[in-house]
Amino acid sequence: MTRNDPESRANAKTHAHSHTSEENSTAGHDLAGRVCQELHRAGLPAHVERPGAPKLPGVWVEVDSEGNHAGGLYVRWSAPELAEAGMRAVSERQDPAAPEWKRYAEVVLLMQTALIGILRLAGFSAVRADEVDDIAQGDVYVYAAGTKDA
């Protein structure tokens, strides 16, 4: 997944990848704003992901800029302190099953379920992201065409 910038578009054309149009990109960013608004209404901190922005705790929303679902969104829970503690435990002990890492993974899955429920209640078409992209485990995917006006 890449951003809709000139370099990404050029790389996509060179490698024969489909890439979103400016119209899809604009619609995707509008959708991201509406998703963040609904998450704020539910009491969750939510931010549209931007290059170079610091990773704060809460929900991060990224516009899918290429592929069959261009214009949709990846929504992920960010818990930087918990993630760092888990990664540190795994690397220090050389144990991929470290309890700290398991705790982080469980929190991500719990939040994935909660985010899907919150977004569906608000009228969005939200699913586990690994149904769209097998490497996006723990994320939520919001379809661009599947939203309802709330």
Side-chain angles (χ1 to χ4, degrees):
M1 134 182 73
T2 57
R3 304 224 182 291
N4 194 7
D5 57 72
E7 184 177 337
S8 295
R9 284 192 299 273
N11 287 339
K13 286 178 186 173
T14 301
H15 296 98
H17 294 279
S18 61
H19 210 286
T20 188
S21 67
E22 289 300 320
E23 182 178 300
N24 281 348
S25 178
T26 300
H29 282 87
D30 290 344
L31 177 61
R34 292 195 321 268
V35 163
C36 284
Q37 180 181 17
E38 286 300 326
L39 293 172
H40 288 168
R41 290 177 65 196
L44 296 171
H47 316 276
V48 176
E49 195 166 301
R50 305 229 188 273
K55 289 289 186 188
L56 301 172
V59 182
W60 284 90
V61 179
E62 180 179 2
V63 177
D64 185 4
S65 62
E66 62 183 49
N68 294 335
H69 305 292
L73 308 174
Y74 285 93
V75 179
R76 68 187 47 93
W77 181 252
S78 175
E81 286 184 40
L82 202 55
E84 186 178 315
M87 288 186 285
R88 189 173 46 249
V90 167
S91 66
E92 287 175 359
R93 296 186 210 135
Q94 297 296 303
D95 178 11
E100 296 88 346
W101 182 254
K102 283 185 167 188
R103 180 177 176 212
Y104 169 69
E106 283 295 316
V107 167
V108 167
L109 291 177
L110 289 167
M111 291 307 298
Q112 178 189 48
T113 301
L115 289 168
I116 289 171
I118 291 166
L119 292 170
R120 285 181 178 171
L121 281 172
F124 296 99
S125 179
V127 297
R128 289 180 16 208
D130 58 4
E131 293 178 19
V132 175
D133 179 350
D134 60 355
I135 62 169
Q137 292 193 358
D139 291 355
V140 172
Y141 196 83
V142 175
Y143 286 97
T147 60
K148 300 176 199 169
D149 290 330

